[in-house]
Amino acid sequence: MVDGNRGYRCVTQAVYGDQERWPQVIGEFLIELYEHANVYTAMFGILKSILRHPLILQTYRHSDNKIWVGFTDFMDQLLLTESEIANRLERQRVDVVRKLLMMSANKRIPLSKIYHNRLLFGIPEDFRDRVVKYPDYFRVVVEEDGKRILELVDWDSSLAVSALEREFLVDEDKVKRAFKFPVKHGKLLELDFEDERKLNLLNTLPLVSPYSDGSKLDMWTLEAEKYRLGVVHEFLSLTLEKRAYIHNIVEFKEEFSLTKHTYQMLLKQARTFYLAGTEMNWCVFLKDGYGGDGELVDKDPQVVFNERLYEYADMQELESR
């Protein structure tokens, strides 16, 4: 992706294996600069990097003669705007977490996993503090090793409907084409294309809900594979940008009853998923989430904000209106 932040993306990819966490790296970078500004200025002339983003970052010399770095007033206003977005969409994000818990095998997920992947779903950084506001939905359990686990308190049947199931009500044929599970047959049958399609539907339907208990399925059956595909599809449909990297998905391997063959499984379903990158570091896209121009069909307010922030980061001054 070319957006003026290639350096940050490269560092983030090397450190975290996910270039989309580059804003986090910038934050950590600022803290490090804040604490050791004089050292880095002397060693690397780091001020040049800061000056690349005059709308976002600023420096000044304190009375103790140390150089300080921080956000500009303009950036502070942007952060307030982002906070307003998070507050406005809080209930929507809560429902996303509820759905993740409802898909999990034991209706519980370590809070650390949700925190690590929060940017995927637009979950605010302080979500771990916000969950106490929803005792009817969540319960936090502290295990013996100190790990904090988020548990589902109440099952909501209205949320246990997947994106595929909703789409089935609108366009049944489209959903029937989403996944392909070929039925082996002899050439002597001499089936034409339409006959073969109808035969394959015997395997495709019925769909297996990602909100069913996949842990009880025989791991190597067709039903289990349909379940896992449904889980990945629903997982991606809940993300802001309808995509995720391998580590985002496999971090929930135990909770979602996934296998080490997830890459090969998705590779066979090219109608629904697009895989980019290598097998060891791939990103999977939900095709229906993107138009023919490669742009997201529906952009969450947080995505719109992020895109505007990236533009501001590359600007030297505000454009006059």
Side-chain angles (χ1 to χ4, degrees):
M1 181 181 292
V2 179
D3 59 6
N5 297 290
R6 292 187 296 274
Y8 294 122
R9 288 180 179 277
C10 288
V11 171
T12 310
Q13 185 67 42
V15 175
Y16 294 110
D18 180 4
Q19 62 173 298
E20 296 308 316
R21 293 173 67 178
W22 68 265
Q24 175 186 342
V25 167
I26 290 182
E28 294 170 352
F29 170 68
L30 285 174
I31 293 173
E32 179 69 13
L33 284 179
Y34 177 84
E35 295 177 345
H36 307 96
N38 284 349
V39 174
Y40 284 109
T41 300
M43 290 175 62
F44 305 113
I46 203 70
L47 286 178
K48 291 182 180 180
S49 180
I50 296 173
L51 295 175
R52 287 179 53 213
H53 311 290
L55 294 183
I56 307 299
L57 305 173
Q58 64 179 349
T59 63
Y60 63 94
R61 191 173 294 278
H62 196 259
S63 57
D64 59 7
N65 206 36
K66 292 183 179 180
I67 296 177
W68 292 59
V69 61
F71 290 133
T72 62
D73 291 341
F74 178 69
M75 183 61 185
D76 284 337
Q77 289 301 312
L78 290 178
L79 292 175
L80 287 176
T81 299
E82 185 177 34
S83 179
E84 291 170 359
I85 293 174
N87 292 333
R88 187 172 77 248
L89 299 179
E90 181 171 310
R91 284 304 300 267
Q92 182 177 325
R93 307 311 192 210
V94 165
D95 283 346
V96 167
V97 177
R98 293 171 71 193
K99 288 171 78 71
L100 290 172
L101 287 169
M102 290 168 67
M103 284 196 294
S104 64
N106 298 308
K107 311 302 176 278
R108 62 200 311 264
I109 299 175
L111 263 173
S112 60
K113 292 189 178 184
I114 295 175
Y115 181 80
H116 292 163
N117 295 279
R118 68 189 186 282
L119 297 179
L120 275 181
F121 306 102
I123 297 172
E125 186 171 4
D126 61 350
F127 180 78
R128 289 177 292 190
D129 300 321
R130 297 191 187 212
V131 293
V132 298
K133 295 164 52 180
Y134 301 94
D136 294 337
Y137 299 153
F138 308 118
R139 175 172 51 245
V140 178
V141 177
V142 181
E143 297 190 331
E144 292 183 0
D145 60 359
K147 183 182 294 184
R148 299 173 68 195
I149 307 296
L150 189 66
E151 293 185 345
L152 183 71
V153 171
D154 182 56
W155 180 274
D156 188 339
S157 298
S158 67
L159 292 178
V161 181
S162 69
L164 273 177
E165 290 169 320
R166 292 195 301 271
E167 183 68 26
F168 189 83
L169 298 176
V170 178
D171 192 341
E172 182 177 330
D173 288 336
K174 180 180 178 181
V175 175
K176 287 179 179 178
R177 296 191 300 269
F179 301 125
K180 185 177 181 180
F181 303 100
V183 175
K184 294 182 179 180
H185 60 81
K187 293 183 178 179
L188 293 178
L189 290 179
E190 297 182 351
L191 300 178
D192 60 22
F193 177 81
E194 184 61 21
D195 289 335
E196 188 171 339
R197 186 188 70 82
K198 292 179 179 179
L199 182 62
N200 289 338
L201 280 178
L202 295 175
N203 272 350
T204 302
L205 297 178
L207 299 173
V208 179
S209 172
Y211 295 100
S212 58
D213 191 351
S215 65
K216 294 181 178 180
L217 299 174
D218 186 336
M219 185 177 294
W220 306 116
T221 61
L222 177 62
E223 186 178 15
E225 183 170 351
K226 289 160 69 173
Y227 164 78
R228 290 191 291 269
L229 285 168
V231 164
V232 175
H233 186 285
E234 185 72 353
F235 182 90
L236 294 175
S237 74
L238 294 175
T239 64
L240 296 183
E241 298 187 17
K242 314 307 176 194
R243 64 185 178 90
Y245 279 89
I246 179 173
H247 68 268
N248 299 125
I249 297 172
V250 300
E251 188 164 359
F252 296 94
K253 179 181 176 182
E254 291 76 19
E255 287 80 9
F256 296 155
S257 303
L258 300 175
T259 74
K260 64 180 181 180
H261 303 293
T262 300
Y263 175 82
Q264 288 79 8
M265 178 185 73
L266 297 178
L267 201 60
K268 294 186 296 184
Q269 304 296 341
R271 294 174 178 175
T272 298
F273 305 111
Y274 173 73
L275 278 64
T278 64
E279 183 173 346
M280 297 303 294
N281 187 32
W282 48 272
C283 182
V284 55
F285 294 76
L286 196 58
K287 282 188 172 181
D288 282 350
Y290 292 82
D293 58 356
E295 291 289 321
L296 277 170
V297 175
D298 296 311
K299 291 188 177 182
D300 184 273
Q302 183 66 53
V303 173
V304 176
F305 173 86
N306 291 344
E307 290 179 346
R308 193 57 180 153
L309 177 60
Y310 302 157
E311 292 176 6
Y312 286 138
D314 280 341
M315 293 169 59
Q316 294 302 303
E317 59 183 18
L318 288 174
E319 298 174 351
S320 58
R321 295 184 177 181

